[in-house]
Amino acid sequence: MHRLTVELADRSYPIFIGQGLLGRSDLLVPYITGKQVCVVTDDTVAPLYLERLRHTLDGYKVDHVVLPTGEAYKNWATLQQIFDALLARRHDRGTTLIALGGGVIGDMTGFAAACYQRGVDFIQIPTTLLSQVDSSVGGKTGINHPAGKNMIGAFYQPKAVLIDTQSLGTLPDREISAGLAEIIKYGLIRDIAFLDWLELNMPALRALEPGAITEAIARSCAIKAEVVAVDEREGGLRAILNLGHTFGHAIEAHQGYGQWLHGEAVGAGMVMALEMSRHLGWLSDSDCQRGVAIVESAGLPTRPPTDMTSEDFIRLMAVDKKVLDGQLRLVLLRQLGEATVTADFTAAALDATLRKEYS
Ligand code: NAD
Ligand code: GLY
């Protein structure tokens, strides 16, 4: 088992990574202070893993809320169902919420925990690859608004993150590819050696070979933990974790939440960031091609939707959270393994990218 720590002074917390951890009450119990627990999950994950978790939590008063599955339900109405259940079952301020599911469940449970009675504890048990390498770590919680992705939310850190790699065994291939998008992101923004490793290991990762997948999760979480420890509330550095996301969030909102998976939109968005960095002369043609090839090798889209115009992108990107004083800032690459958050780009480079003038 790997154990990492997100270093945030008195709010520091562990990330446990290994096979079969869902059955390890010894890893969970130290992070549950009261006797009440409410597991929040969705109607896809519940039949697979809820009973196993309930068994692990033997001795606690365990309630659960099963939400409808999918990004389309990451909204106020679904969030309200969590509050309704907590109030109906008289959960007090000593309760602990446990998110059992993908990033949608993790983001909504964390936001519910931040708000319920002005803040209760929560634990992340991510069950998708994407949530294991990204969304369960770092404390970004929230819901979507029809006008923009993740527009309503809070920074609120979990007490612990428990990653059971066995849960990936039931995940569809398309969701594995979506998770690989965020893994590739870490190599592109910060770790060229990891990118080399990913190129070599992509077939093993897509086949969920245990050694390779555990290594990829651990290295991804280590990079995320390091960045979050430096800049928890995204005053600067943390924005690099959004490589491809400004374009990707626009794709998700344009297509209708859930049509393109978040990781798929990030895959196409990272290619747009690579292409734009090439247009600016920061990346060579061959480095840009190398980045595109690794996205493609993960089974991800490398082009935005054909029905999306440059005007659609401009309109949807205007509400991005990195916009400051009306000025769009983007995460681009100075070179492979080095990202920058910048408004210092030419209109021509952005225009060429949005018009899909790729090499
Ligand atoms: P998701 O939560 O919708 O899960 C994907 C699908 O997999 C769902 O249908 C789910 O029911 C199913 N599923 C989950 N675990 C399963 C398992 N073990 N076996 C079979 N099916 C399973 O999507 P996701 O990709 O996990 O997360 C995407 C969300 O995460 C987006 O809303 C995105 O904005 C958010 N996100 C947040 C952060 C953050 O820092 N908070 C970072 C990245 C992404
Ligand atoms: N996924 C981006 C972040 O956590 O900052």
Side-chain angles (χ1 to χ4, degrees):
M1 186 185 77
H2 293 257
R3 182 194 165 124
L4 307 170
T5 304
V6 183
E7 301 283 0
L8 289 168
D10 59 344
R11 289 173 300 111
S12 297
Y13 55 93
I15 306 169
F16 301 108
I17 305 163
Q19 285 199 295
L21 301 195
L22 202 53
R24 292 279 301 272
S25 62
D26 59 312
L27 297 179
L28 272 179
V29 164
Y31 304 97
I32 302 174
T33 48
K35 279 284 151 213
Q36 289 177 310
V37 171
C38 184
V39 179
V40 182
T41 187
D42 69 29
D43 54 19
T44 303
V45 176
L48 296 170
Y49 300 110
L50 181 57
E51 263 324 295
R52 202 178 309 170
L53 179 58
R54 290 187 72 95
H55 184 71
T56 304
L57 293 168
D58 194 30
Y60 289 90
K61 177 189 176 299
V62 182
D63 290 311
H64 64 261
V65 191
V66 179
L67 302 176
T69 291
E71 189 74 40
Y73 295 98
K74 189 177 165 183
N75 57 26
W76 278 118
T78 316
L79 188 72
Q80 182 70 19
Q81 291 183 37
I82 306 177
F83 299 132
D84 290 347
L86 292 170
L87 288 166
R89 290 158 207 171
R90 304 274 182 272
H91 280 254
D92 59 33
R93 295 181 93 176
T95 193
T96 297
L97 307 194
I98 299 185
L100 176 70
V104 169
I105 288 297
D107 282 13
M108 281 201 295
T109 307
F111 191 34
C115 301
Y116 186 67
Q117 300 196 4
R118 300 201 179 90
V120 297
D121 289 350
F122 90 110
I123 293 171
Q124 290 271 18
I125 306 186
T127 59
T128 61
L129 184 58
L130 186 140
S131 57
Q132 295 186 349
V133 299
D134 194 349
S135 61
S136 63
V137 174
K140 279 190 181 176
T141 73
I143 55 172
N144 298 328
H145 186 281
K149 246 315 259 187
N150 296 332
M151 280 296 143
I152 320 292
F155 286 99
Y156 196 68
Q157 301 293 342
K159 292 290 165 194
V161 181
L162 191 80
I163 297 176
D164 184 344
T165 53
Q166 257 170 15
S167 63
L168 300 177
T170 49
L171 206 58
D173 287 349
R174 192 177 163 199
E175 299 287 351
I176 299 293
S177 292
L180 287 168
E182 302 282 13
I183 294 177
I184 293 166
K185 171 188 81 180
Y186 294 113
L188 288 173
I189 60 170
R190 210 161 164 82
D191 192 340
I192 189 74
F194 187 35
L195 204 64
D196 296 340
W197 183 90
L198 287 172
E199 282 173 332
L200 285 175
N201 287 280
M202 193 55 77
L205 291 170
R206 292 187 71 180
L208 293 181
E209 195 272 302
I213 206 79
T214 305
E215 175 71 12
I217 294 169
R219 286 176 80 161
S220 298
C221 287
I223 294 172
K224 179 139 190 193
E226 181 201 350
V227 170
V228 168
V230 171
D231 178 24
E232 181 186 7
R233 297 176 71 89
E234 204 167 298
L237 178 71
R238 183 167 178 168
I240 67 170
L241 297 174
N242 282 310
L243 178 72
H245 284 57
T246 303
F247 301 117
H249 286 166
I251 293 172
E252 289 185 83
H254 182 267
Q255 297 304 103
Y257 295 121
Q259 296 306 307
W260 275 49
L261 301 181
H262 175 70
E264 292 171 338
V266 167
M270 287 193 299
V271 170
M272 295 179 82
L274 284 157
E275 289 288 347
M276 189 160 160
S277 305
R278 183 182 66 84
H279 277 295
L280 287 163
W282 298 349
L283 278 192
S284 65
D285 288 353
S286 64
D287 277 352
C288 178
Q289 273 316 313
R290 192 180 159 198
V292 175
I294 191 162
V295 172
E296 196 164 23
S297 72
L300 290 161
T302 56
R303 291 287 182 272
T306 47
D307 64 342
M308 224 178 143
T309 64
S310 154
E311 291 69 30
D312 292 327
F313 272 108
I314 294 286
R315 175 174 50 82
L316 289 162
M317 294 194 316
V319 293
D320 187 82
K321 291 190 286 310
K322 284 181 295 305
V323 170
L324 266 189
D325 298 328
Q327 194 166 32
L328 180 65
R329 295 179 311 138
L330 290 169
V331 186
L332 299 172
L333 295 179
R334 292 275 176 203
Q335 57 182 346
L336 291 181
E338 186 191 334
T340 182
V341 186
T342 183
D344 187 18
F345 48 77
T346 59
L350 179 60
D351 192 53
T353 306
L354 298 185
R355 292 191 183 287
K356 306 166 195 168
E357 290 166 12
Y358 291 179
S359 54

